[in-house]
Amino acid sequence: MPTVTVCYFAMLREQRGVDSEVMEVDAGVTVHQLYDRLFPAGPLGQLPVGYAVNQSYVPRTQPL
């Protein structure tokens, strides 16, 4: 399983209570699938966010 470091900013950092986390992900998982796993939609949906991999913005379908 690949290992990634997830960095959080603003409200996501407040919700998780940490600046970053190292975690294992399934091969081929996308940035949005990981976001869904970490921040499941509540009654009001999900917070709209931008995604970046290696400091470059990527679409939500970007595999990790």
Side-chain angles (χ1 to χ4, degrees), residues 4 35 39 61:
V4 297
Y35 177 65
F39 299 95
T61 56

Side-chain angles (χ1 to χ4, degrees), residues 15-37:
Q15 287 182 15
R16 293 297 285 186
V18 295
D19 292 335
S20 64
E21 294 180 87
V22 176
M23 58 185 58
E24 290 184 350
V25 296
D26 294 328
V29 71
T30 67
V31 292
H32 186 72
Q33 288 169 329
L34 181 57
Y35 177 65
D36 279 342
R37 182 176 121 194

Side-chain angles (χ1 to χ4, degrees), residues 5-10 12-14 16-22:
T5 300
V6 180
C7 299
Y8 303 108
F9 300 94
L12 299 182
R13 178 175 48 216
E14 292 175 21
R16 293 297 285 186
V18 295
D19 292 335
S20 64
E21 294 180 87
V22 176

Side-chain angles (χ1 to χ4, degrees), residues 4-5 29-32 34 50-64:
V4 297
T5 300
V29 71
T30 67
V31 292
H32 186 72
L34 181 57
Y51 304 105
V53 174
N54 295 329
Q55 300 179 355
S56 295
Y57 287 107
V58 297
R60 64 188 282 154
T61 56
Q62 174 71 39
L64 294 171

